[in-house]
Amino acid sequence: MMSSCKKDFEDPSRASTEVALGSSQALSAVAMGVNRTYTLSRTGVLFNSVTASGFASNELRLLNAGNIPELQLSTGGSAVDGTNTILFNMWASSLKVIDESNKVIAGAEALGDKNYAAGLIGYVTVFKALSLGTLSSFWEKVPVTIGKAAPFVDRMDGYKAAIAAIDNALTKITANPISTQFNSTVNNINIVNALHALKARYALFSGQYAIALSEANAVVTPTVIPPNKNTITSADISPFKFDAANVNIIASVASSNNVFQPTDANLGLTGTLVPDANDKRIPFYTIMAGSPASLRMAGFATSVTGSFPIFLPGEIPLIKAEAYARQTTPDLNSALTELNKVITKTTDVFGVGASLTALTGPYTQPQLLELIYKHRCIELFASGLKLEDMRRFGRPVAEMKRRFMPYPFQERDNNPNTPANPTF
């Protein structure tokens, strides 16, 4: 699959499309394969989105110049071109996830067991939405359909396509709640919670602030830390889970200490954005380790069997804060209230907490938006979201290594509709 971007994603080692469309068992296998394509290995969407955003937004520093794709992104500008395998893997794996999710959704529609079908549709839609959102975060134009010579649309329409897919899934689940059988045999995430959180994220990214607020309010966030972070409950934040055979690739690469680590103890932030000296999120995300000791990634990169969040609890009030602040008539008081929920949070289900004193203001809209940006950078460190944040908050070009990414040569060679590359 990784040899080209022809969007022909048949895999002889897996169930054929014909069988999958008529079998709940095969559909379930394909659905779990969608999860694997997104989360596992250095070809998956997860690793490449975190890496590309991390270098482009100055979160990460390069350790070994022999890693050419990472060297390109670390250098930035014209050094990044269509040969970059990090960008190609992210592009191709995202399209593969979208394609196979579409097949599962089509097959599930034909199943007699509508409750099991709703589970399948909701499950793969989480990954489809994430993949559409990833493409829209890194490229100016994106294909939202699969096929040879697929047309490209503006990236804002890519976010809206993710929202439309989520709406379809939520409608199916409302009509036919997910069956116990599906949850016990396939599902390991809180599907409805994840769908609402992702819809809130992409509504925010596409400037639909009323929708972002509504969806953020629909997300259930836990108040009690489970004894095991990999234990999923009905009110839990859904993480991707890993084990010894299927490892957390971010942790695996970080532990090698041969590819990347945090830029510095301030997470690459400078000036007024530098974290408070007492911010507990800094020792959560970074650690001094090794001999001689050097700054390394902690947080969700500490264990190859540790989980990685689909979204963090702190992202939800940050979405609300930004949406309130950006409304046609900004509600700065409500925005500050939501921001302070993150600033004063001592911990959450994943152990992320700033433990800082609440801000009192008053702040102007630009001042408050800068504070929201600052705390998004800290709270959501190395989540793959910062490059989108930098553009949305109008950060100086000098702070970025790239603003948008060039299209992979494999896509350009196989799709005549591929747009011209951005200059930066």
Side-chain angles (χ1 to χ4, degrees), residues 4 61 65 81 133 189 215 276 281:
S4 72
R61 60 185 171 89
D81 61 26
I189 61 175
E215 291 302 307
D276 187 288
R281 293 170 296 186

Side-chain angles (χ1 to χ4, degrees), residues 57-58 264-277 279 281-282 356 366-379 386 389-390 393-396 398-400:
S57 66
N58 202 38
D264 53 37
N266 291 326
L267 310 182
L269 299 171
T270 60
T272 58
L273 301 178
V274 169
D276 187 288
D279 195 323
R281 293 170 296 186
I282 301 305
L356 297 173
Q367 289 171 332
L368 193 52
L369 285 171
E370 182 176 84
L371 286 166
I372 292 168
Y373 171 74
K374 170 182 176 176
H375 287 282
R376 282 186 65 90
C377 292
I378 303 169
E379 185 83 6
K386 187 179 175 183
D389 287 353
M390 295 182 88
F393 284 88
R395 299 306 303 174
E399 294 181 4
M400 309 176 199

Side-chain angles (χ1 to χ4, degrees), residues 157-364:
D157 292 320
Y159 287 135
K160 291 173 184 177
I163 291 170
I166 292 169
D167 283 341
N168 175 67
L170 289 172
T171 297
K172 300 294 184 185
I173 294 168
T174 299
N176 299 284
I178 298 170
S179 67
T180 301
Q181 181 187 4
F182 180 81
N183 282 329
S184 63
T185 58
V186 177
N187 187 34
N188 58 3
I189 61 175
N190 185 325
I191 292 173
V192 172
N193 220 29
L195 290 172
H196 283 302
L198 293 176
K199 185 176 177 182
R201 176 189 294 174
Y202 299 135
L204 181 76
F205 289 0
S206 56
Q208 301 178 84
Y209 303 125
I211 294 174
L213 281 170
S214 176
E215 291 302 307
N217 284 326
V219 176
V220 178
T221 53
T223 56
V224 179
I225 305 171
N228 181 345
K229 291 179 185 176
N230 285 331
T231 298
I232 305 302
T233 68
S234 61
D236 201 3
I237 302 299
S238 302
F240 300 123
K241 298 200 297 181
F242 304 95
D243 55 36
N246 303 284
V247 300
N248 176 333
I249 187 62
I250 305 298
S252 177
V253 171
S255 65
S256 73
N257 203 35
N258 188 48
V259 182
F260 56 64
Q261 294 294 354
T263 296
D264 53 37
N266 291 326
L267 310 182
L269 299 171
T270 60
T272 58
L273 301 178
V274 169
D276 187 288
N278 297 316
D279 195 323
K280 301 302 182 186
R281 293 170 296 186
I282 301 305
F284 176 84
Y285 280 118
T286 66
I287 188 173
M288 293 296 293
S291 181
S294 61
L295 190 73
R296 300 189 181 186
M297 293 183 74
F300 304 107
T302 56
S303 170
V304 295
T305 59
S307 61
F308 193 99
I310 295 176
F311 69 98
L312 278 169
E315 183 181 0
I316 304 307
L318 285 168
I319 288 173
K320 294 179 187 179
E322 185 179 345
Y324 278 127
R326 291 190 187 276
Q327 291 180 122
T328 303
T329 303
D331 183 348
L332 300 185
N333 289 331
S334 294
L336 182 58
T337 297
E338 295 297 333
L339 177 58
N340 274 329
K341 290 178 182 178
V342 176
I343 291 172
T344 61
K345 176 165 59 78
T346 58
T347 190
D348 60 27
V349 66
F350 291 107
V352 183
S355 298
L356 297 173
T357 302
L359 300 173
T360 57
Y363 298 104
T364 65

